[in-house]
Amino acid sequence: MKKVLVAEDNDSNYMLMTYILKKHYEFVRARNGKEAVTMVETETPDLVLMDIKMPVMDGLEATRQIKASHPDLPVLALTANAFDSDRQSALEAGCDDFMVKPVNAEKCLQTIAKYLE
């Protein structure tokens, strides 16, 4: 089973993601960007779902660091900010795709599958 690293500091958002992912993927959680960077090394995920606004290190900086050492690892941005500028910032940081919260379960699974199959 493919493994997804969910970088999400908000418990309710994380619970929603576990509900969406549980039948399809193994998953682990990072509570901030710094933890996500470390867990990419220790957990070897197949894909990262990256919240953009997190404590300690934001998702944009975490994505830059992850992509520097793992350029082929898909990183999908998750954000409540749906402005074009937010999408552009995420893509410039190295995110492969962009999803807006609250996440639609079906669309989320389709987007993940696009990168894992």
Side-chain angles (χ1 to χ4, degrees), residues 7-95:
E8 175 60 69
D9 62 314
N10 181 288
D11 288 339
S12 57
N13 288 337
Y14 177 70
M15 291 305 292
L16 174 62
M17 293 313 301
T18 64
Y19 176 77
I20 293 170
L21 297 172
K22 66 183 176 187
K23 292 182 182 157
H24 308 278
Y25 302 102
E26 185 182 334
F27 52 88
V28 290
R29 179 184 189 183
R31 291 178 183 271
N32 61 61
K34 187 171 191 220
E35 216 173 83
V37 172
T38 302
M39 289 179 75
V40 162
E41 301 301 329
T42 60
E43 297 289 336
T44 60
D46 298 293
L47 181 137
V48 179
L49 291 175
M50 184 70 73
D51 182 21
I52 297 304
K53 297 213 184 309
M54 289 186 291
V56 184
M57 178 190 294
D58 72 24
L60 298 176
E61 180 56 31
T63 298
R64 286 185 201 97
Q65 291 188 21
I66 289 167
K67 286 294 195 171
S69 55
H70 301 276
D72 297 330
L73 178 64
V75 178
L76 311 184
L78 288 174
T79 184
N81 300 330
F83 299 108
D84 285 340
S85 59
D86 297 306
R87 177 185 298 271
Q88 192 60 38
S89 296
L91 297 175
E92 286 171 4
C95 291

